[in-house]
Amino acid sequence: MTETQQRSVIDQLGGLSGLIYSSVPILIFVPVNSIWNLTAAIWAALGVAVAIAAWRLFRKDSLQPAISGFLGVGVSAFIAYRTGDAKGYFLFGIYTSLAYGAVFLISILVRWPLVGIIWGYLNGHGNLWRKHRSAVRLYDIATAAWALVFGARYLVQSQLYDTDHTGWLAVARIGMGWPLTGLVLLVTIWAVRKADRIVEPEPVVEPTELTATTELTATTELTATTELTATTEPTAADAGSEEVGSVNLTKPREDRGLS
């Protein structure tokens, strides 16, 4: 995983600021409900959600986290209004955690870990990772980490919901929200990086490129051989010079013999 891809994954989750922004409506909802009433708390949470969404759009942040954050607060506020109880605000998040945890766990059991599917789609490798057992195990670890977080959120918060601890529900929602998300994201990045080293697609050589490379190699070798031959073999002029030189050297000896 490159740094650019890593930032892309974090941006899809709303960025670090998005994880923190998700806690603000809860911090407003609970005290307003305690001081005034449920209706005031609902409108206060919705107002904060609208303000956060507008701020993110003004900063030209990713649109998807801003919209999903507002819709999440809207659904939670609607459930609280319908149940007539402040703890109903947390009911949507509780069962969302249960659903997510079940999906991640089932994906491991059927040998299609969800992290591998998502990352294979994002980096363009597709399902190539399934050919490598080591890569599958790494994606199993990352997927199990997410399933564990979602499962823990459901177990803890559902128990607090059943015992009517609305204040502690808010604490658990925040404490098990972005801190655990950041931790499991680190595990995911570690697993994905190791899997990418294992799953590396072989470069595909096009036939035209292969032919051109072969012809270029053959031409280069032929040129080098020709130049080497021309350098080592004597030319006809060099041979004639050697013969003339030998004749000139023998003539003085014949003249001395006649004298």
Side-chain angles (χ1 to χ4, degrees):
M1 176 186 283
T2 63
E3 292 184 1
T4 302
Q5 292 171 327
Q6 179 176 333
R7 287 194 298 268
S8 177
V9 173
I10 296 176
D11 290 340
Q12 290 298 320
L13 294 175
L16 296 178
S17 60
L19 297 176
I20 298 174
Y21 287 155
S22 63
S23 304
V24 177
I26 300 173
L27 292 174
I28 299 297
F29 178 84
V30 174
V32 170
N33 177 72
S34 300
I35 298 173
W36 286 284
N37 53 45
L38 179 60
T39 303
I42 290 174
W43 283 110
L46 288 174
V48 170
V50 171
I52 292 175
W55 173 250
R56 292 180 66 91
L57 292 176
F58 175 76
R59 293 182 56 192
K60 297 182 180 180
D61 291 341
S62 179
L63 185 61
Q64 184 268 332
I67 295 176
S68 61
F70 173 74
L71 291 178
V73 173
V75 172
S76 298
F78 177 75
I79 294 175
Y81 170 75
R82 293 293 297 176
T83 59
D85 196 334
K87 70 177 185 179
Y89 183 89
F90 302 94
L91 198 59
F92 177 69
I94 292 173
Y95 283 103
T96 299
S97 295
L98 176 62
Y100 283 160
V103 171
F104 275 84
L105 181 60
I106 292 173
S107 71
I108 297 174
L109 297 177
V110 298
R111 307 304 297 155
W112 280 85
L114 195 56
V115 173
I117 296 174
I118 295 173
W119 184 241
Y121 171 77
L122 291 176
N123 66 8
H125 288 177
N127 296 328
L128 188 62
W129 54 272
R130 285 186 53 79
K131 299 180 180 179
H132 306 271
R133 291 185 177 181
S134 299
V136 174
R137 283 195 294 269
L138 288 168
Y139 287 131
D140 280 341
I141 294 173
T143 305
W146 285 99
L148 182 62
V149 167
F150 287 126
R153 287 175 181 172
Y154 170 75
L155 292 175
V156 172
Q157 295 178 29
S158 62
Q159 181 65 26
L160 293 173
Y161 181 90
D162 293 337
T163 54
D164 296 326
H165 289 90
T166 305
W168 283 109
L169 257 177
V171 173
R173 179 73 171 269
I174 296 173
M176 304 183 75
W178 61 267
L180 286 184
T181 300
L183 181 62
V184 76
L185 188 60
L186 291 177
V187 175
T188 302
I189 292 173
W190 167 81
V192 164
R193 283 181 172 178
K194 291 183 70 70
D196 278 348
R197 296 190 189 103
I198 298 172
V199 185
E200 194 64 33
E202 299 180 358
V204 179
V205 180
E206 298 293 337
T208 55
E209 295 179 359
L210 182 60
T211 304
T213 303
T214 305
E215 292 177 354
L216 180 59
T217 304
T219 303
T220 304
E221 293 178 352
L222 179 60
T223 303
T225 304
T226 304
E227 292 177 353
L228 181 61
T229 304
T231 303
T232 55
E233 291 183 358
T235 61
D238 294 335
S241 300
E242 293 178 358
E243 291 179 359
V244 172
S246 62
V247 172
N248 292 335
L249 290 174
T250 56
K251 280 184 178 181
R253 293 180 181 178
E254 292 177 359
D255 294 340
R256 285 195 300 267
L258 292 175
S259 63

